[in-house]
Amino acid sequence: MIMKQYIIKGGNPLYGEVNIGGAKNAALGIIVAAIMANEPVTIENLPDVDDVKVLLEAIEGIGAIVERLDRHTVRINGALINDVNVDDDFIRKIRGSYYLVGALLGKYKKAIVALPGGCQIGSRPIDQHLKGFEQLGARVTIHNGKIDAFAERLTGSHIYLDCPSVGATINIMMASCMAEGKTVIENPAKEPHIVDVANFLNSMGANIKGAGTDTIRIRGVESLHGSEYSIIPDQIEAGTYMIAAAATGGDVYIKNVIPKHLEAITAKLIEIGSKVEEYDDCVRVYSDKRLGYANVKTMPYPGFPTDMQPQMTTLLALSEGVSIVTETIFESRLKYISELRRMGANINVEGNAAIITGVEQFTGATVSAPDLRAGAALVIAGLAAQGFTVVEQIHYIERGYENFEEKLRGLGAVIEKMDADDERAQQKFRLKVG
Ligand code: UD1
């Protein structure tokens, strides 16, 4: 496989409008939940990103019928699933693969699924998922890199999560929605995509109440039926463009969003002096002066999302004053900072905190995306920097951002995707835009 990279000529403020797609992390839960019905399910507003493609191939591999009706609509029918064993090179790379355990266990009382991968941002245990399955009556073992879950019968239970895990909450909702009796999840995650997956399961006939609050109650039903559903907008994609607008001193309307889901990001932008206007399904971000400092701590929703931490750190590194960003969700999510330093950022890392002294400007450099969101942050850094930036390893970014470079170009960014070893194309770009 030829590696791709972005080449960016920085310094252009972003102007205009950008449309946000469906939420990737909701889509991963919803695609898998769809196989629990024995009737066709139509899912709209599906983001066309690599993680989604991998998951669709995985469910096709075990017998689900997957029809792409258009780029953002898929019809899934789980009636003919003939295998509960999911393992391939690709599925091991994505995080959302663990939802297959909850869905297959819930529907067939058996699942064997490769342990999940995803971004290398910490140890990412799944003990809360496994505890939940066990409390519903499953026997769970891990061997040869696979989760093996089996149950004679699943019965409702009272499950207390030690930490509000997004993955565990969705997985337990799926495993329990066809269990006998009532399940209660205490201390669940409350992210917008938890609510979206619950709404989707309910649209198939599940009985889930309280998603988005501190207690979720699930009454088991016999079976799930077909449905038509549209995925919510991607909070993190929207937030990334909000920060890109602020970091370049531009003026951008970010459309097809739910402003309420963006409140933590909006509040921080306003705190540092950016202007944010909220409309029904759009936010406008612009500023007329250099932005200031703030302290940020990542927290479960409705706190500041860890998936926006690298982008926010990048913005604060260009703002005036000293800011402290503390990462509380994942243990090693500050590794990209060494890349930002190559562009002139002045950031010290102490434990899980980044102490940032804002600089006037970054200068272009060759940097490497270490994961999905940090990769997006490096692109933002390149857009704001003086001169040329090359961002390598962009396959991480393509896991979660649809048409990233095209959408940015639509806002006036000078960015192109090219083969990593194509030096002539790089030269041509530099001459053309130089
Ligand atoms: C999901 C998102 C990811 C986001 C994260 C936090 C998907 C596919 N990924 O990841 O983009 O960054 O939520 O918003 O939706 N934990 C345990 N035991 C468990 C599960 C989690 O200790 O069994 C801990 C984790 O180490 C972490 C915290 O709980 O410190 C949150 O993890 P979790 O919410 O589960 O994240 P993911 O579902 O992996």
Side-chain angles (χ1 to χ4, degrees), residues 25 95 98 124-128 163 165-167 307 329-330:
N25 286 347
R95 196 77 198 145
Y98 51 31
R124 308 188 82 169
I126 53 162
D127 56 302
Q128 300 302 305
C163 55
S165 156
V166 169
D307 284 357
I329 309 290
F330 291 112

Side-chain angles (χ1 to χ4, degrees), residues 44 83 104 171 211 218-219 224 231 267 274 300 368 371-372 376 379:
E44 293 167 6
D83 197 354
L104 291 170
N171 238 337
I218 303 146
R219 199 171 278 286
L224 298 177
I231 296 173
S274 172
S368 179
D371 62 64
L372 167 57
V379 170

Side-chain angles (χ1 to χ4, degrees), residues 24-26 28 51 95-96 98-99 121-130 163-170 189 191 193 236 299-301 305-307 328-331 333 372-373:
K24 176 198 75 127
N25 286 347
L28 299 179
D51 273 11
R95 196 77 198 145
Y98 51 31
Y99 294 140
I121 50 182
S123 66
R124 308 188 82 169
I126 53 162
D127 56 302
Q128 300 302 305
H129 305 232
L130 307 186
C163 55
S165 156
V166 169
T169 305
I170 291 180
E191 269 68 3
H193 52 289
I236 307 300
M299 297 291 246
Y301 190 83
T306 174
D307 284 357
T328 75
I329 309 290
F330 291 112
E331 63 207 22
R333 208 171 191 177
L372 167 57
R373 305 302 174 186

Side-chain angles (χ1 to χ4, degrees), residues 11-15 243-252 285-291 315 383-384:
N12 280 13
L14 301 186
Y15 285 107
I243 302 270
T248 59
D251 184 351
V252 178
V285 178
Y286 63 104
S287 49
D288 46 20
K289 58 175 188 315
R290 188 164 175 228
L291 301 179
L315 174 61
L383 295 172

